[in-house]
C-alpha cells in the first residue's frame, strides 16, 4: 500500500490518518468503511500468483487495514496485529533463546510479568526487574547476554514515567533492543519509535479499541528484518485477530483522539478532587508537578493520560470498601474505554504479582477515567470517599 498517501505522517495529521490511513475506499463499491473480509482463502490467478492474500491466518484485508493504520499512527514502518496484548507480547519474547537475559521495569503489567516469570523463564531465559527511573539500578542489571529491555510508560498501576530516549540509548549501548508497551499512553499521546524504541507493543483492548468490546494486541517496528521475523511468528503461531475484531479495533481508532482528549480533561478534574480529599493520602498522576516522572512525561507525552492511581490513608480494608462503593465508576478490571472503571490492583489485576518485585501497595486504588459527564464522576467518587 505504498501508494496510500494517508499513511504519511509528514503530510497528514494524527486525526486524519486515524480515519484514512490504510483504509482506501472499497474499489468495488466505493464504501468509505473497510469491509469485514471473512474469507479464509483467496483465489489465485496462477499457481502462487495472488493479490497479496492466500490464507486467512497469514493475511487478511481487514487486518491489513488495521495494521497499516496503527503503524502509521505510531509513525512506524511496519505493524502486526495479534489476538491479544499478551500474544503480541509473546511474539516479541519468542525472539529470546536459552541463556538470554531480559530487563523489565519493576512495576510491569501483571500479565506481562506472569508470562515472563512463569512461561518464558522456564525455557532458560533469565530476567531482572528494576526501577527503570534509577540509572544506577539499570546500570547494575546488564549482563553479557541481555538482549531486551521491556518498558511500560506510564506504568500500570503506579503511573511511573520512564524516559524512553534515555533507556533506548542505554539499551543500544549494550546491544539490547528496547520494547515499549504503549498501552497507557496510546500513539495519540506518545510515539516511542520516534524516541528510539525498537518495538512498540499494545493491548488494543484498552484505549485503541476503546469500547470494552474487543480484545486485541499490536506490535509496531521500523526495522524490516524484525518485521519479517514477527510476521513469521504471527503466521507460524497463529495468534491472529478475527476480521471482525480487526474491524472493531479500526473503528475504535477513528475516535481515539477525541475520546482521549475528553478522558484527559475528566482525569484532571478527578485528580483535583482527590488532592483535596482527606481520605486520600497520595495521588499518582504524571500531570502533577510533584509527580516523580512529571518532567519526563512533559517531555515525551502530549498530555498526561486518563489513568489515575491513589492511596487510601485508612489502609487496605478502606480501599476495598471504596472500590465497591461507587456507581458511575464500575468495579472492574481493564481500562481505557469510554466508561469509567475503579479497581483494587493488589486484589485484582496485580494479584499474581504478590510476593514478587512487582507487588503493589494494598491501599492502592486505580481509576480509568472515561467520558461520562464529569460532574457525575466527581459526585460519585466524592460520595464514596466521604463514606469511608
Ligand atoms: C491489558 C494490558 C496488557 C495485556 O493485553 P491483553 O489485551 O489483555 O492481552 C499488556 N500491557 C498492558 C499495559 C495492559 O494494560
Amino acid at each position: 500500500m505504498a501508494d496510500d498517501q494517508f499513511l504519511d505522517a509528514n503530510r497528514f495529521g494524527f486525526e486524519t490518518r486515524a480515519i484514512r490511513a490504510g483504509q482506501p475506499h472499497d474499489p468495488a463499491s466505493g464504501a468509505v468503511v473497510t469491509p469485514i473480509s471473512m474469507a479464509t482463502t483467496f483465489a489465485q490467478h496462477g499457481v502462487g500468483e495472488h493479490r497479496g492474500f492466500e490464507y486467512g491466518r497469514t493475511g487478511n484485508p481487514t487486518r491489513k487495514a488495521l495494521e497499516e493504520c496503527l503503524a502509521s499512527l505510531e509513525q512506524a514502518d511496519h505493524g502486526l496485529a495479534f489476538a491479544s496484548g499478551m500474544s503480541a507480547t509473546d511474539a516479541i519474547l519468542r525472539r529470546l533463546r536459552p541463556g538470554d537475559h531480559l530487563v523489565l521495569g519493576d512495576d510491569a503489567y501483571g500479565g506481562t510479568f506472569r508470562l515472563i516469570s512463569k512461561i518464558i523463564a522456564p525455557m532458560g531465559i533469565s530476567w531482572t526487574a528494576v526501577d527503570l527511573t534509577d540509572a544506577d539500578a539499570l546500570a547494575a542489571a546488564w549482563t553479557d547476554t541481555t538482549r531486551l529491555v521491556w518498558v511500560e510508560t506510564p506504568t500500570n498501576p503506579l503511573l511511573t514515567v520512564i524516559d524512553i530516549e534515555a533507556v533506548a540509548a542505554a539499551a543500544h549501548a549494550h546491544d539490547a533492543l528496547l520494547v515499549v508497551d504503549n498501552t497507557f499512553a496510546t500513539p495519540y499521546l506518545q510515539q516511542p519509535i520516534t524516541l528510539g524504541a525498537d518495538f512498540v507493543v499494545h493491548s488494543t483492548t484498552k484505549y485503541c479499541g476503546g469500547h470494552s468490546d474487543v480484545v486485541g494486541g499490536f506490535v509496531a517496528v521500523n526495522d524490516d528484518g524484525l518485521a519479517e521475523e514477527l510476521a513469521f511468528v504471527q503466521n507460524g503461531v497463529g495468534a491472529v485477530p478475527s476480521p471482525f475484531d480487526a474491524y472493531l479495533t479500526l473503528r475504535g481508532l477513528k475516535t481515539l483522539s477525541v475520546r482521549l482528549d475528553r478522558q484527559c480533561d475528566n482525569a484532571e478534574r478527578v485528580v483535583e478532587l482527590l488532592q483535596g480529599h482527606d481520605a486520600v493520602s497520595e495521588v499518582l498522576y504524571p500531570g502533577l508537578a510533584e509527580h516523580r516522572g512529571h518532567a519526563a512525561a512533559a517531555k515525551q507525552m502530549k498530555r498526561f493520560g486518563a489513568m489515575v492511581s491513589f492511596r487510601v490513608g485508612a489502609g487496605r480494608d478502606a480501599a476495598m470498601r471504596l472500590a465497591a462503593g461507587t456507581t458511575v465508576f464500575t468495579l472492574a478490571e481493564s481500562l481505557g474505554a469510554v466508561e469509567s472503571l475503579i479497581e483494587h490492583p493488589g486484589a485484582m489485576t496485580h494479584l499474581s504479582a504478590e510476593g514478587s518485585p512487582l507487588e503493589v501497595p494494598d491501599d492502592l486504588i486505580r481509576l480509568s477515567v472515561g467520558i461520562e459527564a464529569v460532574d457525575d464522576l466527581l459526585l460519585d467518587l466524592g460520595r464514596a470517599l466521604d463514606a469511608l
Side-chain angles (χ1 to χ4, degrees), residues 10-62:
N10 295 317
R11 289 185 60 191
F12 295 98
F14 182 94
E15 296 83 349
T16 308
R17 284 178 285 131
I19 294 165
R20 301 294 299 272
Q23 303 159 79
H25 300 151
D26 180 39
S29 67
V32 299
V33 172
T34 303
I36 302 172
S37 187
M38 293 301 287
T40 57
T41 188
F42 298 83
Q44 310 196 1
H45 23 265
V47 177
E49 287 171 36
H50 51 78
R51 280 166 271 199
F53 300 99
E54 297 162 89
Y55 180 59
R57 164 162 45 74
T58 317
N60 167 277
T62 316

Side-chain angles (χ1 to χ4, degrees), residues 108-131:
Y109 173 69
T112 301
F113 180 64
R114 183 177 51 199
L115 173 56
I116 290 170
S117 63
K118 301 268 168 58
I119 299 176
I120 300 295
M123 297 178 180
I125 291 138
S126 58
W127 55 272
T128 308
V130 295
D131 176 357

Side-chain angles (χ1 to χ4, degrees), residues 16 44 101 103 105 108 148 153-154 176 200 258 276 280 286 316:
T16 308
Q44 310 196 1
H101 174 251
V103 173
L148 220 54
T153 182
V200 171
V258 184
V280 177
R316 180 177 199 270

